[in-house]
Amino acid sequence: MSDNYKPGLEGVIAGDTAVACVDQGVLLYRGYPIEQLAEKATFEECAYLLLNDDLPNATELATFKKELDSFRALPKQVVDALRLIPNNVPMMDVLRSMVSMTGHFDPVSDPADNKRRAIWLTAQIAGIIAARYRLLNGQEPIAAIPGLSHAAQILYQAQGTEPDALSAKLLDLTLMLYAEHEFNASTFTARVICSTMSDLVSAIVGAIGALKGPLHGGANEAAMDMLKQFKSGEEAKAWIKDALANKKKVMGFGHRVYKNGDHRAQILEVELRKLAASKNQQVWMDIYDAIKEPMVNEKHIFPNVDYPCGLTYYLLGLPLDLYTPLFVAARITGWSAHFIEQAANNRIYRPLSKYVGPALRSVTPISVRA
Ligand code: CMC
């Protein structure tokens, strides 16, 4: 029975999907290479692609963006609830609770219309992140400006001024890279919840919980937390030497699927280098490279997308606590696409376990138990 058992389900195919795949190290969203999407499309186009099977034409994209904008305003009760959460609660925990909360104000009347519900949740999640950011800074949440890109909207609603083109473009790029990644832990969580015939909001709340951990989405914050302790490449070099000698886990490196490098990290790193140069922040690239060089050359463990992403967000001036929520702001689209796919061809997930507990034994009455 346990012959095919693989800890962590490594190498196990756990379902069919047409949403995305990693084909010989290249990530494809519905057949389109992520590199081409990153160069020629936007987050909204990728979101549409994931939810609709193909890229939109100009009219379809305009309608999609209008629909997103129509769902941006947060229910008053959600903003009121945000005010009740203590300031020291991590943003991922806030987001988990507030997605559940906004779920009580679902404006989509058709229970089967999960595509529309996914667009609503995409807009709401961005609004919740921005509103929480402002409240933490002693500012009131502000309304969205219809027509801005999703990335620019998040930055505008958080910071109160329209972002410069480079910041909006870079956030848009990270959202595209984060949008989907086939059967990762959080997507699998969403599909398992869907498989019991539960609802989309429940699946997204569960997926947020799975994404939060530092082995998954929490790695972008953890990676930057590590880099932040160094003032120079030399300091980072000394630290990584010691970390490797002591078999420490280095956040933002390694991947279950990519053993020769994560394509998304390579795409983002090119833009990160330009960003650091434009901001005269070469010291951060020295630190970044000091950690990366021995990881790649001595351990053959490559950066994953979270490594360059943490530093990109840092150089964009975003607080650490926002990094994993921004991952959620993107992955909501992939999670939803998988939920819709699972619901359309469902069989409940119910694997077996390999029992390693005590052998058969008899229950003795409590009066005679030692
Ligand atoms: N630092 C140091 N050693 C590592 C790392 C790392 N980041 N990743 C893997 N290794 C080692 C690991 O210790 C093991 O060595 P040994 O064979 O001597 O025990 C070997 O490489 C194989 O790794 P593994 O544990 O079999 O890898 P896995 O597939 O079980 O885990 C992983 C994948 C991503 C959880 C893991 O690489 C890791 O913990 N990385 C750090 C956290 C991280 O960056 N997560 C983000 C993942 S990608 C994007 C996302 O989902 O957010």
Side-chain angles (χ1 to χ4, degrees):
M1 182 204 289
S2 58
D3 280 359
N4 294 324
Y5 169 58
K6 295 275 170 38
L9 299 185
E10 181 173 7
V12 172
I13 292 175
D16 296 326
T17 184
V19 180
C21 70
V22 178
D23 182 27
Q24 296 174 20
V26 176
L27 174 61
L28 309 176
Y29 291 176
R30 296 202 184 274
Y32 294 108
I34 188 65
E35 191 170 13
Q36 288 182 29
L37 290 166
E39 193 193 328
K40 296 179 183 161
T42 59
F43 169 70
E44 286 89 329
E45 288 168 74
C46 290
Y48 183 99
L49 166 67
L50 294 170
L51 294 172
N52 291 282
D53 303 348
D54 209 343
L55 284 164
N57 62 28
T59 312
E60 288 163 339
L61 180 62
T63 306
F64 183 76
K65 289 175 75 167
K66 257 196 191 137
E67 199 168 16
L68 253 182
D69 280 344
S70 75
F71 285 135
R72 290 196 188 278
L74 299 179
K76 179 181 176 304
Q77 294 90 332
V78 169
V79 178
D80 288 348
L82 273 174
R83 293 181 206 279
L84 297 176
I85 301 175
N87 283 0
N88 63 352
V89 174
M91 183 75 97
M92 278 299 278
D93 295 347
V94 174
L95 192 54
R96 187 198 58 222
S97 300
M98 288 302 107
V99 168
S100 192
M101 178 79 179
T102 206
H104 302 310
F105 303 92
D106 183 349
V108 183
S109 49
D110 178 355
D113 195 352
N114 283 319
K115 201 181 284 183
R116 199 163 143 74
R117 198 164 279 118
I119 300 170
W120 158 65
L121 283 172
T122 303
Q124 289 284 294
I125 284 171
I128 291 167
I129 294 169
R132 175 68 177 176
Y133 176 92
R134 285 187 75 75
L135 289 170
L136 284 179
N137 286 300
Q139 297 163 319
E140 282 302 298
I142 52 173
I145 300 179
L148 286 187
S149 74
H150 194 61
Q153 198 73 260
I154 295 174
L155 293 173
Y156 167 69
Q157 282 196 277
Q159 297 169 337
T161 49
E162 279 194 46
D164 60 84
L166 179 65
S167 302
K169 185 170 169 274
L170 276 176
L171 181 58
D172 183 70
L173 173 63
T174 63
L175 295 181
M176 276 194 272
L177 299 175
Y178 270 147
E180 163 55 12
H181 209 229
E182 46 123 272
F183 272 46
N184 58 85
S186 56
T187 301
F188 190 54
T189 302
R191 289 192 78 126
V192 170
I193 293 174
C194 176
S195 83
T196 69
M197 289 182 75
S198 183
D199 65 290
L200 180 65
V201 173
S202 299
I204 300 309
V205 170
I208 290 173
L211 189 81
K212 174 184 159 185
L215 296 190
H216 192 7
N220 58 10
E221 289 178 19
M224 191 58 223
D225 208 37
M226 167 186 72
L227 296 182
K228 252 180 22 178
Q229 65 185 304
F230 311 120
K231 296 217 163 31
S232 67
E234 287 310 310
E235 271 185 36
K237 245 182 219 166
W239 182 89
I240 189 70
K241 197 169 169 204
D242 179 69
L244 292 183
N246 289 298
K247 290 195 163 288
K248 256 197 191 158
K249 198 150 251 196
V250 183
M251 291 301 159
F253 286 83
H255 202 280
R256 174 64 63 77
V257 176
Y258 304 109
K259 294 302 180 196
N260 292 306
D262 176 344
H263 202 196
R264 300 167 301 172
Q266 295 154 10
I267 294 169
L268 186 55
E269 192 181 295
V270 172
E271 301 308 318
L272 169 61
R273 288 194 191 282
K274 290 185 207 159
L275 176 68
S278 77
K279 292 190 178 279
N280 272 328
Q281 295 285 348
Q282 181 54 37
V283 63
W284 283 110
M285 295 318 300
D286 295 346
I287 293 168
Y288 179 98
D289 288 331
I291 301 288
K292 180 183 161 187
E293 196 268 329
M295 285 301 287
V296 171
N297 295 333
E298 290 171 33
K299 299 285 288 183
H300 201 72
I301 299 176
F302 292 83
N304 58 56
V305 66
D306 289 319
Y307 189 57
C309 196
L311 184 52
T312 301
Y313 287 161
Y314 187 79
L315 292 181
L316 290 179
L318 299 171
L320 223 73
D321 200 28
L322 225 62
Y323 300 2
T324 313
L326 288 172
F327 194 153
V328 175
R331 188 57 63 85
I332 170 67
T333 56
W335 288 334
S336 302
H338 280 275
F339 185 98
I340 291 165
E341 185 178 61
Q342 178 71 34
N345 186 18
N346 189 45
R347 188 155 188 228
I348 190 168
Y349 275 103
R350 203 318 185 173
L352 298 175
S353 58
K354 179 179 168 191
Y355 182 65
V356 294
L360 182 66
R361 48 186 170 166
S362 301
V363 176
T364 50
I366 194 158
S367 56
V368 296
R369 270 179 243 158

